[in-house]
Amino acid sequence: MAVIRLSGQTSTFFDFQPLMMDEFIPVVEFDRGSFNNDFGYLSGDPNETTLSEYIDEKLRKIQPKVVETEVRKIKLPFSVQKGCDNSKDPEGIITIKLSVSDPEITIISNNSIKVKYGENFVLEIDIQKKSDVEFYIDFYANDDNDNNVGELKDIHCGRAKVQFSYRSEIVIIVGTDAPAGSRHQHNSEDNFIRRVDRLLNTRTVENVVVGQNEFVYVLVSKSMSKTNIDKLNAYGNKFRNYKVLTHNAMELVLFINSLSNIRKLVYFGHGIEDGPLYEYGVERLPEPRVFKKTSFRNNATVYFATCNSKQYAEEFASILQVNTIGVEGTTFYGEQEISAGKITESALAGSSIAWRYDVTPSGISKTSYSLNQNHGIPFLRTK
């Protein structure tokens, strides 16, 4: 800042305000056209925000965009526009700050970005809260000091708001049984649906304890009998958020892909050589590649508690980067537990094994364990 002092005096007689031509004065705007709706919904903040006094008056008052989301890792697009007609410095530094200081809310991308007027950038934020939270994202501009050296610091040039709603989901898929008299029949369709009751209402090795804010969805095919749908509804009587939904295989995929924080997915039903069956003789469970990775939380676990699901489970873990369990061989749906059948046609009963595929920083780690009732860990064993 230039100043004039009288000869022999230390006090300032007159000072010149910073020349706007030397300053980088942007406005950071939410780029609505580039926003991916997978990351949430947009609305407007009812509270108006006034940006820096150095921004032209016509651009100074804004209504920040609000991103309403249940997604933990979100990508938000922004554009950098000129905020002062007299500014001649076309580039500078944008610094990003959150209105909360919380180790469970972090900026993944750089929080200091060199930009020019007319450029766009994407801000990535990771939210690991287990409760609802809202916070502002504020943008501040500074000169990059490359050519024209500006004197203004931390010009407040933009704001957006995030409203995160905590929602954890448990998804249970129940297949239908083979026709009566078939050698593949598991006694009855009821044999599969009773597992939902045991999974949700008994402490088992899977440890699916439903929290107060969690949503439980039971997905069944359109051929599921009304009697068994009524039973499934009854199994969820004590839960706050519980729904039995009837879908075909494609609708099932669309529904699962609409979720954003699945911590458990469990399949009960028939399995064939290369994966589970959804509706016996009609539809198999779709290939893992059609499901979205973003539907699952980081530490989710998926169980395919059915015959011959090892290969499908391995693909599911590899493609979606989700911890997954499948079975090599056949399974036996007993009164209480789902235990080991034959690993091959010629092998002894009880020889099937479970395979667990865990996602690690160095890749997928796989381990096996017995499902034998006498010396293994069958699915749904009481804990």
Side-chain angles (χ1 to χ4, degrees):
M1 182 185 297
V3 299
I4 295 176
R5 295 186 177 92
L6 295 176
S7 177
Q9 301 293 319
T10 58
S11 60
T12 299
F13 175 69
F14 187 78
D15 62 53
F16 295 89
Q17 293 301 312
L19 294 175
M20 294 299 104
M21 64 180 296
D22 290 336
E23 304 292 342
F24 174 63
I25 306 177
V27 170
V28 175
E29 299 177 342
F30 195 94
D31 185 3
R32 185 169 189 162
S34 300
F35 179 62
N36 186 333
N37 289 331
D38 287 346
F39 295 115
Y41 302 92
L42 292 180
S43 61
D45 191 346
N47 299 314
E48 188 177 70
T49 293
T50 301
L51 300 176
S52 168
E53 62 181 314
Y54 299 109
I55 290 172
D56 287 348
E57 187 174 356
K58 61 185 177 182
L59 303 173
R60 199 175 300 161
K61 294 184 183 295
I62 65 168
Q63 186 181 28
K65 284 290 181 287
V66 179
V67 180
E68 302 174 39
T69 186
E70 298 169 1
V71 181
R72 292 195 172 278
K73 291 185 178 181
I74 55 176
K75 294 182 179 181
L76 308 178
F78 294 92
S79 64
V80 181
Q81 305 301 328
K82 192 173 183 179
C84 176
D85 288 340
N86 295 326
S87 169
K88 303 303 179 185
D89 189 348
E91 61 184 355
I93 306 294
I94 297 292
T95 302
I96 304 158
K97 299 179 182 179
L98 305 182
S99 64
V100 294
S101 179
D102 190 325
E104 293 183 320
I105 305 174
T106 56
I107 296 174
I108 303 175
S109 53
N110 291 332
N111 62 355
S112 185
I113 309 168
K114 187 172 182 177
V115 293
K116 295 180 180 180
Y117 296 142
E119 288 188 341
N120 300 328
F121 66 90
V122 174
L123 176 64
E124 296 183 62
I125 297 179
D126 185 14
I127 306 169
Q128 292 301 318
K129 302 292 291 182
K130 292 185 178 179
S131 59
D132 294 352
V133 66
E134 62 181 41
F135 55 90
Y136 284 102
I137 306 165
D138 286 296
F139 301 91
Y140 298 89
N142 287 281
D143 195 1
D144 58 7
N145 296 325
D146 277 0
N147 295 309
N148 300 327
V149 179
E151 298 182 22
L152 300 179
K153 305 295 182 185
D154 292 332
I155 300 171
H156 189 203
C157 59
R159 167 173 274 195
K161 187 177 185 180
V162 173
Q163 291 181 333
F164 172 75
S165 298
Y166 174 72
R167 176 172 176 156
S168 181
E169 299 127 350
I170 297 167
V171 177
I172 306 168
I173 302 171
V174 183
T176 55
D177 203 1
S182 166
R183 74 185 189 93
H184 297 294
Q185 191 189 26
H186 280 264
N187 296 327
S188 72
E189 187 176 88
D190 184 63
N191 214 298
F192 298 145
I193 69 110
R194 284 187 289 109
R195 309 305 154 177
V196 176
D197 184 26
R198 187 161 180 84
L199 180 73
L200 296 176
N201 297 309
T202 305
R203 289 293 297 271
T204 64
V205 292
E206 290 74 26
N207 199 30
V208 178
V209 179
V210 181
Q212 185 178 9
N213 293 325
E214 289 196 296
F215 288 70
V216 179
Y217 298 106
V218 181
L219 309 183
V220 301
S221 74
K222 294 187 174 182
S223 66
M224 180 70 71
S225 70
K226 182 181 183 304
T227 299
N228 278 336
I229 289 177
D230 289 343
K231 289 179 182 177
L232 287 169
N233 278 314
Y235 296 155
N237 279 340
K238 73 177 186 180
F239 301 116
R240 187 177 180 183
N241 304 298
Y242 179 92
K243 287 185 179 179
V244 179
L245 302 174
T246 304
H247 291 315
N248 62 29
M250 182 53 65
E251 292 167 341
L252 174 147
V253 171
L254 293 174
F255 177 76
I256 289 177
N257 286 348
S258 73
L259 304 178
S260 60
N261 195 30
I262 300 173
R263 75 171 178 93
K264 298 283 185 185
L265 186 149
V266 184
Y267 170 86
F268 299 127
H270 276 283
I272 52 179
E273 282 303 325
D274 52 356
L277 286 168
Y278 181 47
E279 184 176 359
Y280 193 88
V282 180
E283 294 180 306
R284 59 166 290 166
L285 210 60
E287 295 290 337
R289 59 183 171 79
V290 304
F291 295 100
K292 284 186 178 180
K293 178 181 177 179
T294 53
S295 292
F296 297 86
R297 64 196 283 179
N298 289 342
N299 58 346
T301 304
V302 177
Y303 298 85
F304 296 105
T306 185
C307 312
N308 306 312
S309 56
K310 177 191 175 185
Q311 178 184 333
Y312 188 90
E314 187 170 14
E315 290 179 7
F316 204 94
S318 177
I319 293 171
L320 298 169
Q321 296 296 291
V322 178
N323 302 326
T324 310
I325 297 173
V327 177
E328 182 179 10
T330 58
T331 53
F332 175 71
Y333 274 68
E335 286 297 317
Q336 301 295 321
E337 304 168 340
I338 303 174
S339 57
K342 293 183 176 183
I343 196 166
T344 63
E345 284 288 339
S346 59
L348 295 173
S351 54
S352 295
I353 58 175
W355 283 89
R356 182 178 180 104
Y357 300 93
D358 289 310
V359 179
T360 73
S362 57
I364 303 293
S365 169
K366 63 179 182 179
T367 55
S368 63
Y369 60 92
S370 172
L371 294 171
N372 190 286
Q373 288 178 314
N374 296 321
H375 53 73
I377 310 174
F379 294 114
L380 303 180
R381 171 160 285 184
T382 303
K383 191 172 182 179

